[in-house]
Amino acid sequence: MPSSPANSDLPVVGEAPAGAGLLDALQHQVAVFARRAEQTRLGGVGQARNSMDRAAYLLLNRLDLEGPMGVKALAGGMGIDSSTVTRQVAPLVDGGLVKRTSHPEDGRAVVLALSPRGLARLEEVRSSRRELMARVTEEWTEEERKSFTKLLTRFNVSLSELMAAVADAGPAS
């Protein structure tokens, strides 16, 4: 099977490892992708490379796209526990990337919002990651990029829905 030395653990696209089926090839490619993503952290290029961890990026991105919200809403939207969000947000607040404010309708409730510093930092990281995606897919057509994005989004949504259903079902009896 042809492969480059850097990719010797990867089967040729469209081929399954000897004796394996399509689903085995898919799970293998997802595992390799996860390893590559963790190795590079898909952090981008230049000075911003690897400068923001995945949790921080996802939290800041959600606050940017959806606006200020409480910990519970943020956790629910991300499919994680509130205590996890609280733990992940703490260094972002300490670093001035996120600010805690009073809820406009209920002054007792706390709302998390992206600070101007956080937005600037997020834009810097987005730009770096955008450049990385451009480099990784530079030999792809626009249609291939669109198709991959659509399929990866569909995969992530399906995985999220499955995990939510498993969590709702509770522990196996």
Side-chain angles (χ1 to χ4, degrees), residues 1-2 8-30 32:
M1 162 176 14
S8 59
D9 60 340
L10 300 175
V12 173
V13 174
E15 287 185 25
L22 183 58
L23 293 176
D24 287 338
L26 176 60
Q27 70 78 25
H28 175 79
Q29 290 302 322
V30 169
V32 170

Side-chain angles (χ1 to χ4, degrees), residues 71-151:
V71 169
K72 194 171 188 175
L74 190 54
M78 296 181 70
I80 57 178
D81 188 76
S82 293
S83 63
T84 301
V85 168
T86 299
R87 187 180 72 252
Q88 292 174 347
V89 164
L92 300 176
V93 170
D94 292 344
L97 303 177
V98 171
K99 57 186 178 180
R100 288 188 174 111
T101 60
S102 296
H103 191 284
E105 296 167 12
D106 179 359
R108 298 168 296 171
V110 174
V111 174
L112 301 169
L114 192 60
S115 72
R117 181 178 179 188
L119 179 58
R121 186 75 187 95
L122 180 60
E123 286 301 330
E124 178 183 14
V125 172
R126 277 181 179 153
S127 177
S128 174
R129 291 179 177 195
R130 193 177 302 116
E131 175 63 23
L132 176 64
M133 293 300 108
R135 287 186 186 184
V136 168
T137 63
E138 69 187 344
E139 294 183 14
W140 296 21
T141 66
E142 193 65 18
E143 190 55 40
E144 288 171 325
R145 286 177 175 172
K146 285 179 183 178
S147 179
F148 182 72
T149 301
K150 181 178 179 181
L151 290 170

